[in-house]
Amino acid sequence: MLTKLSYLIVALSIAGCTVTSGNHSSAAAATTGARKLVIAHRGASGYLPEHTIAAKAMAYAQGADYIEQDLVMTKDDELVVLHDRHLDTVSNVAEIFPARHRDDNRYYVIDFTLDEIQQLSVVERFALKDGDATPVFKDRFPLGKSSFRVHTLADEIELIQGLNVSTGKSVGLYPEIKSPAFHRDEGKDIAKATLRVLQQYGYEKKSDKIFLQCFDSSELQRIHGELMPELGMDLPLIQLMGTEEEYRWMLNDTGVQRLATYVDGIGPSAALLVAPESTASNIKVTGLLELAHAAGLQVHPYTFRRERNQMPPFAKDYDDFLRIFFDEVGVDGVFTDFPDLTVRFVESRK
Ligand code: G3P
Ligand code: CA
């Protein structure tokens, strides 16, 4: 949810850099004619538990252009597709391996082998409230129903590449390297491991159907400057940015110019693109998209969800949320939990 706090941080970060909608047509025009991208956020996660093979197949069938894989590493160095480095909010790990938590009571992916992790059932994301599991998103897939398992990056690439063969389409990958510093502290080089798997499956060049994303700017610079040259790779990179203090340096011309030396695009929180004082009749862009487009960077904000409490107050409904960001702000694509609704919107604009 776009909280008041996040809006405040953004307002402070980009103070003096807001533009009333309508005054920024040049940046939006920079991508006029290019296909607007629908990126399935953790799959069709509005309908099925996130990052399951079923959610990925559904996203594919709904017409997503790219499908996202958040990546973490197991004890035996496998790359698995999970958002958190913990297992306890999307699986029954606490029931199956009750004693295997750390002192903070969390169950870490990195403390389990792939074989152990694949003994778990994956469920809709939940939080514990007074000891009871409560779904984070009510009215989504029911908790604990059916049967889903954790899978590897290789499994998912084979699914997407297999569907590309059987359908004749060309859907892309959008992997995210999660917590590289944490993995390094645990003795693992997740960026190098990810690049090796991607290379093994033929993703090597800028023109391949992939974007590789990360929140960690130092790691992206290492991937750009050291790892990819070492491996003979040159993939398109995306700098993710949140509303926290650590991303503030990226939100001005100097910062964006610096980003453009090592990435091909940005993946900002949607709250970094539209000013907090916006209303339904007066959308004010922050200026970040113009800076990014002027620097030749694509802009793919996250996360677009149809639930009312997941949308900013200035959006009347989900289509209006999309209209504001695609038509008024001029983004090049969005991360969404609802690929079908987003594809329908993009198609209606052709
Ligand atoms: O990677 C884009 C978006 O997914 C970032 O947020 O926390 O869902 O990985 P998160
Ligand atoms: Ca992600």
Side-chain angles (χ1 to χ4, degrees), residues 6 19 33 70 80 134 157 170 178 200-201 211 239 248 257 269 310-311 332 339 344:
S6 66
V19 184
D70 291 315
V80 288
T134 310
I157 295 174
S170 176
K178 284 290 187 194
Q200 184 190 336
Y201 281 95
F211 289 100
Q239 172 71 63
R248 191 176 295 196
Q257 293 293 337
S269 162
Q310 299 293 314
M311 284 187 277
D332 305 296
R344 189 180 68 190

Side-chain angles (χ1 to χ4, degrees), residues 75 79 113 126 150 179 186 206 215 259 323 342 344:
K75 188 176 182 177
L79 284 162
T113 63
F126 64 90
V150 175
S179 310
E186 299 281 335
K206 285 258 191 260
F215 277 103
L259 295 179
R323 184 194 60 74
T342 312
R344 189 180 68 190

Side-chain angles (χ1 to χ4, degrees), residues 110-307:
I110 210 157
D111 294 337
F112 294 82
T113 63
L114 177 63
D115 180 62
E116 289 171 333
I117 288 173
Q118 289 189 323
Q119 295 171 39
L120 306 176
S121 288
V122 176
V123 299
E124 183 66 29
R125 178 171 286 276
F126 64 90
L128 285 177
K129 282 198 183 147
D130 304 324
D132 291 331
T134 310
V136 169
F137 298 100
K138 96 181 170 58
D139 303 327
R140 289 197 180 181
F141 196 84
L143 261 185
K145 298 295 182 186
S146 195
S147 176
F148 306 100
R149 294 282 180 267
V150 175
H151 62 270
T152 63
L153 172 60
D155 289 332
E156 185 160 334
I157 295 174
E158 289 183 15
L159 175 82
I160 294 170
Q161 291 190 341
L163 286 167
N164 283 343
V165 171
S166 58
T167 65
K169 295 203 301 186
S170 176
V171 171
L173 305 187
Y174 213 128
E176 179 186 345
I177 296 170
K178 284 290 187 194
S179 310
F182 166 81
H183 283 89
R184 192 169 307 117
D185 289 348
E186 299 281 335
K188 303 205 187 289
D189 188 340
I190 186 172
K192 193 177 270 188
T194 300
L195 289 173
R196 285 202 170 119
V197 173
L198 295 177
Q199 188 168 46
Q200 184 190 336
Y201 281 95
Y203 299 92
E204 292 190 303
K205 318 182 288 297
K206 285 258 191 260
S207 57
D208 291 331
K209 203 79 190 283
I210 187 168
F211 289 100
L212 179 59
Q213 48 168 342
C214 192
F215 277 103
D216 186 324
S217 61
S218 308
E219 196 69 1
L220 280 168
Q221 289 173 67
R222 176 174 171 254
I223 291 167
H224 171 82
E226 294 173 34
L227 296 183
M228 290 205 301
E230 243 172 64
L231 293 165
M233 299 171 77
D234 187 20
L235 300 177
L237 300 180
I238 299 290
Q239 172 71 63
L240 296 174
M241 26 175 106
T243 53
E244 299 83 357
E245 174 68 30
E246 66 190 280
Y247 304 101
R248 191 176 295 196
W249 67 266
M250 302 173 184
L251 306 178
N252 54 49
D253 192 32
T254 309
V256 169
Q257 293 293 337
R258 193 169 141 204
L259 295 179
T261 63
Y262 64 91
V263 293
D264 304 87
I266 59 172
S269 162
L272 290 169
L273 295 175
V274 175
E277 65 269 25
S278 295
T279 62
S281 58
N282 187 16
I283 300 298
K284 294 183 175 179
V285 298
T286 59
L288 178 60
L289 178 128
E290 269 108 338
L291 293 176
H293 277 179
L297 299 176
Q298 296 198 45
V299 180
H300 301 161
Y302 64 89
T303 303
F304 287 69
R305 299 179 168 119
R306 74 172 173 195
E307 289 94 345

